[in-house]
Amino acid sequence: MKSPISLNSEYRFYQGLVATCVANGIQAANFLGDRFLRKAHRSSSGIDELYTDAMNSAFSATESFLVTGAPHASAYYPRDFAWFYPDVLDPDTIMDSEDAIRRVRLLERSVRLMLEAVRSGVVTTTIIPAGPNRYIGVNYFSRPSDTLLGILAGLEQIICADQRASASYLGLSQGAHAGRLLLIEYREDLKNAIIQLASSLEPFDDGGTGYLLCDAAAPRSAATDTRAERRRFVTNACVYATFLRAMELGVIGISELEQLLGRELSCYKAQLLRLFGKHGYISHSLDCDNEPPASSIALDFVNVQLGFWDLRDGSERALFAATTDLIIAEPRFRVPNTFHFLVSTNNPRRKMLHKIASPSYQGRSSWPTFNVEFADRMLDYDEFSGTDRYGSCARDILSDIRAATELHGGYQELLTDKGLKYRTWAYRGAVAHSWFPRFLTVWKRAFGTPLLDWK
């Protein structure tokens, strides 16, 4: 197995064909073991008990990095910090001072691991432990567009830990100091990775206008990485959000970045909106241009917290509202009789693996956390438009997620198009422990009071 890391580091990262085969074996053993050995949950568990159990699992002191949940405990997903982990250090989601300390320590350890991977040139969707301080970097479907975004978001969360409202835990202040030291130590490595990402963008012509895309010629993956399309909105929106976060953290200056792009950053974003929103709504992919509106949209257009969308801008609000209204009005986007919205109306193109082990994983399935982001963007829209257009829908989404969490005994990674636990012959269904805090944060924003209160 190829090890690109320098010899003076405590970490070793491996990539290549042999490494990928080893990683696939580790993952298969973990998923099959979880499929047949995981114990059934206790019935009728309350949300408070489920949350406590989830936090004790996600932030166990025995773990070497933050654990998403079963069956993903054997692997690490850098992108999750952008999509699913943004409120790990929100004081309103922390149970007590011991919980705060565990979270800060695991977050610092996890971010350092990701930064070491960047230093080694391993910018990948998945990091799999293969021994003491030995890790394999794997891209299961295609190169990522959102991994650097996740790393920057995780680092930013540590740095800003002591700035959160009611940050009364000492551990959060200690974490903020550790985060600032990490930024100093790895700034140049991050800058080099950002430069490489900007330099890899490809020209794309549409109607005589030149655009820059990260996936003009070949697919790039984001959180919905089992899709095989090129020219996707979400992958390119993640790249823009990565540039924005890198500038906010002082990793790279705007003039240097704009010189690499050959245009102003604001122009780069405006062109993406013009390209993917040319029909009056946000198309999931440019390859969907000939499909009906509802069939050319995917729920992941909501992107990530503090990501692509700036709903202070009226033109962006109009595009967001048009896309949102299409999703809400289309019955095929919804689990019947609920406010669980599916990823898309149709299944995406799939490889043989998807047909055997994970059918509908990114099409006719409902991801609770994508629904949480959908609700949060709705609240953004109402806040910046001065209206109450989507507030009730956002609250209905969150209420249905709470009901599903209590029904199924934990915060689910995804549900079927019937609202049931996702199951295949190899996959029993994931309980996403560490995605739970994000739900609590958005719940408080929507309802005005915390769902759980430990004070």
Side-chain angles (χ1 to χ4, degrees), residues 97-139:
S97 57
E98 180 183 348
D99 185 28
I101 291 171
R102 286 184 310 177
R103 294 192 193 197
V104 167
R105 287 177 178 172
L106 267 180
L107 193 58
E108 180 189 352
R109 225 180 292 168
S110 301
V111 171
R112 182 177 288 277
L113 170 63
M114 295 189 294
L115 291 170
E116 282 286 347
V118 171
R119 177 169 286 178
S120 305
V122 180
V123 178
T124 180
T125 64
T126 312
I127 298 174
I128 297 173
N133 293 331
R134 301 294 189 271
Y135 299 91
I136 299 173
V138 178
N139 293 321

Side-chain angles (χ1 to χ4, degrees), residues 16 78 115 187 210 299 339 401 404:
L115 291 170
R187 189 192 306 271
L299 186 64
F339 280 81
I401 293 173

Side-chain angles (χ1 to χ4, degrees), residues 302-322:
V302 296
N303 204 254
V304 298
Q305 184 201 38
L306 302 178
F308 182 87
W309 291 101
D310 179 4
L311 294 175
R312 297 175 179 84
D313 182 86
S315 61
E316 289 193 31
R317 284 200 305 273
L319 270 177
F320 174 86

Side-chain angles (χ1 to χ4, degrees), residues 334-364:
R334 196 179 306 195
V335 174
N337 302 314
T338 74
F339 280 81
H340 293 301
F341 291 95
L342 307 177
V343 175
S344 62
T345 60
N346 303 303
N347 283 328
R349 294 190 292 272
R350 293 171 292 169
K351 300 180 181 179
M352 186 59 67
L353 171 65
H354 310 140
K355 297 178 182 179
I356 295 174
S358 58
S360 302
Y361 191 75
Q362 295 289 359
R364 301 293 297 163

Side-chain angles (χ1 to χ4, degrees), residues 282-336:
I282 295 296
S283 297
H284 163 71
S285 167
L286 299 181
D287 293 343
C288 299
D289 271 357
N290 296 323
E291 298 181 9
S295 298
S296 64
I297 294 171
L299 186 64
D300 58 11
F301 90 97
V302 296
N303 204 254
V304 298
Q305 184 201 38
L306 302 178
F308 182 87
W309 291 101
D310 179 4
L311 294 175
R312 297 175 179 84
D313 182 86
S315 61
E316 289 193 31
R317 284 200 305 273
L319 270 177
F320 174 86
T323 313
T324 295
D325 291 345
L326 283 168
I327 291 173
I328 292 174
E330 174 54 64
R332 291 178 296 163
F333 259 113
R334 196 179 306 195
V335 174

Side-chain angles (χ1 to χ4, degrees), residues 173-398:
S173 298
Q174 295 173 338
H177 178 67
R180 288 187 282 271
L181 293 178
L182 285 173
L183 178 58
I184 293 171
E185 183 177 354
Y186 292 95
R187 189 192 306 271
E188 285 303 312
D189 303 293
L190 286 169
K191 181 178 180 178
N192 291 335
I194 295 297
I195 291 173
Q196 186 175 8
L197 176 62
S199 302
S200 71
L201 298 183
E202 305 161 328
F204 177 77
D205 181 83
D206 185 77
T209 302
Y211 300 88
L212 286 178
L213 299 180
C214 70
D215 54 357
R220 292 286 290 261
S221 72
T224 48
D225 66 354
T226 54
R227 292 180 178 273
E229 297 99 332
R230 301 170 302 163
R231 304 163 187 171
R232 291 172 55 199
F233 171 75
V234 67
T235 50
N236 287 282
C238 282
V239 172
Y240 169 80
T242 301
F243 294 153
L244 192 65
R245 267 209 161 95
M247 290 192 308
E248 290 173 347
L249 284 174
V251 172
I252 192 170
I254 187 169
S255 58
E256 185 173 3
L257 182 59
E258 290 180 343
Q259 185 176 3
L260 289 166
L261 297 176
R263 64 203 69 192
E264 293 182 352
L265 190 64
S266 59
C267 176
Y268 169 63
K269 177 181 177 177
Q271 288 183 325
L272 291 178
L273 283 170
R274 188 181 311 125
L275 182 62
F276 288 95
K278 59 187 175 182
H279 300 300
Y281 53 84
I282 295 296
S283 297
H284 163 71
S285 167
L286 299 181
D287 293 343
C288 299
D289 271 357
N290 296 323
E291 298 181 9
S295 298
S296 64
I297 294 171
L299 186 64
D300 58 11
F301 90 97
V302 296
N303 204 254
V304 298
Q305 184 201 38
L306 302 178
F308 182 87
W309 291 101
D310 179 4
L311 294 175
R312 297 175 179 84
D313 182 86
S315 61
E316 289 193 31
R317 284 200 305 273
L319 270 177
F320 174 86
T323 313
T324 295
D325 291 345
L326 283 168
I327 291 173
I328 292 174
E330 174 54 64
R332 291 178 296 163
F333 259 113
R334 196 179 306 195
V335 174
N337 302 314
T338 74
F339 280 81
H340 293 301
F341 291 95
L342 307 177
V343 175
S344 62
T345 60
N346 303 303
N347 283 328
R349 294 190 292 272
R350 293 171 292 169
K351 300 180 181 179
M352 186 59 67
L353 171 65
H354 310 140
K355 297 178 182 179
I356 295 174
S358 58
S360 302
Y361 191 75
Q362 295 289 359
R364 301 293 297 163
S365 59
S366 172
W367 288 62
T369 297
F370 283 154
N371 277 269
V372 167
E373 292 306 321
F374 194 25
D376 200 43
R377 294 298 83 70
M378 289 178 174
L379 297 174
D380 285 340
Y381 180 96
D382 283 3
E383 177 183 345
F384 294 119
S385 66
T387 65
D388 190 23
R389 182 169 177 172
Y390 296 118
S392 62
C393 185
R395 289 186 287 273
D396 286 338
I397 289 171
L398 298 168

